[in-house]
Amino acid sequence: MSKLAEKFTYGYYVLTALKKADNLKTREEDYIAAGTVNWVSQVSFSPEIVSVAIGQKSDLNETIDYSQHFTLHLLSEDHTEYVRTFGMKSSIEDGKINGVPFKKENDQAIVEDTLGYLTCKVVKSMNMGDHTVYFGEVIKEEVQKDKKSLCTMQLPSEYTKDKAEI
């Protein structure tokens, strides 16, 4: 990573994507992928569109491609452990992703007890280097406004090329 890139500031988020089983030929259960992301930005007010960069070799990338939707979960200062918890391959057991409770709502996996979330429909995607940049139109928003969101200035970034492929 260049010295300049180390100075950029980002927020931390958990991104989930769900592909319904009835659209999959080889699975009888919904496929869910989740991961920590931090390359996120709002790019339009009307319509409200956000962009997110996802490693091209990750399960998240493939699941977003199949479903054409993703949910971006906003983390507060109370969720610093989620950055590492979701920084590994997703394990789905007993209504939990990597040990964190979630629910299925409107064909999306919603991580419970976060600052809030934005569910987005992909309107465009572009492969850029080793990542895919997805542009998602916000179709649902649930946000608590009484807590401060989590920024990298409060927690060191550990995102590397190797992590992009999880």
Side-chain angles (χ1 to χ4, degrees), residues 93-161:
E93 289 184 40
D94 301 323
K96 296 179 179 179
I97 303 172
N98 295 354
V100 177
F102 79 99
K103 61 185 176 185
K104 291 181 188 176
E105 186 177 286
N106 299 321
D107 294 336
Q108 290 298 300
I110 309 298
V111 176
E112 296 182 8
D113 190 37
T114 62
L115 183 61
Y117 65 90
L118 307 172
T119 296
C120 300
K121 179 179 190 248
V122 174
V123 293
K124 186 172 181 125
S125 64
M126 299 172 60
N127 290 337
M128 303 294 291
D130 55 3
H131 281 64
T132 300
V133 179
Y134 291 96
F135 297 90
E137 182 174 349
V138 177
I139 58 174
K140 183 170 183 183
E141 178 179 336
E142 295 280 334
V143 179
Q144 296 179 29
K145 301 194 186 297
D146 61 337
K147 292 187 179 182
K148 187 175 178 182
S149 59
L150 184 61
C151 293
T152 59
M153 293 168 53
Q154 297 152 330
L155 192 71
S157 175
E158 295 177 359
Y159 187 62
T160 62
K161 184 176 179 182

Side-chain angles (χ1 to χ4, degrees), residues 5-144:
E6 292 174 0
K7 302 298 181 193
F8 291 141
T9 57
Y10 304 98
Y12 278 108
Y13 309 88
V14 170
L15 190 130
T16 58
L18 181 148
K19 180 64 178 159
K20 295 290 292 173
D22 54 358
N23 296 327
L24 299 170
K25 294 178 183 176
T26 60
R27 297 181 62 90
E28 294 181 10
E29 296 178 4
D30 295 343
Y31 186 81
I32 298 169
T36 301
V37 297
N38 65 354
W39 293 347
V40 175
S41 183
Q42 181 175 349
V43 296
S44 173
F45 286 114
S46 183
E48 193 172 28
I49 295 177
V50 297
S51 67
V52 60
I54 304 294
Q56 287 182 10
K57 294 181 180 179
S58 74
D59 287 348
L60 272 173
N61 189 56
E62 183 178 7
T63 309
I64 295 169
D65 277 348
Y66 282 129
S67 69
Q68 292 296 296
H69 289 82
F70 60 86
T71 299
L72 187 66
H73 299 82
L74 310 171
L75 303 180
S76 75
E77 294 172 332
D78 298 334
H79 299 106
T80 57
E81 75 278 0
Y82 284 17
V83 174
R84 287 184 183 83
T85 298
F86 287 94
M88 60 186 76
K89 194 159 184 74
S90 301
S91 170
I92 315 298
E93 289 184 40
D94 301 323
K96 296 179 179 179
I97 303 172
N98 295 354
V100 177
F102 79 99
K103 61 185 176 185
K104 291 181 188 176
E105 186 177 286
N106 299 321
D107 294 336
Q108 290 298 300
I110 309 298
V111 176
E112 296 182 8
D113 190 37
T114 62
L115 183 61
Y117 65 90
L118 307 172
T119 296
C120 300
K121 179 179 190 248
V122 174
V123 293
K124 186 172 181 125
S125 64
M126 299 172 60
N127 290 337
M128 303 294 291
D130 55 3
H131 281 64
T132 300
V133 179
Y134 291 96
F135 297 90
E137 182 174 349
V138 177
I139 58 174
K140 183 170 183 183
E141 178 179 336
E142 295 280 334
V143 179
Q144 296 179 29

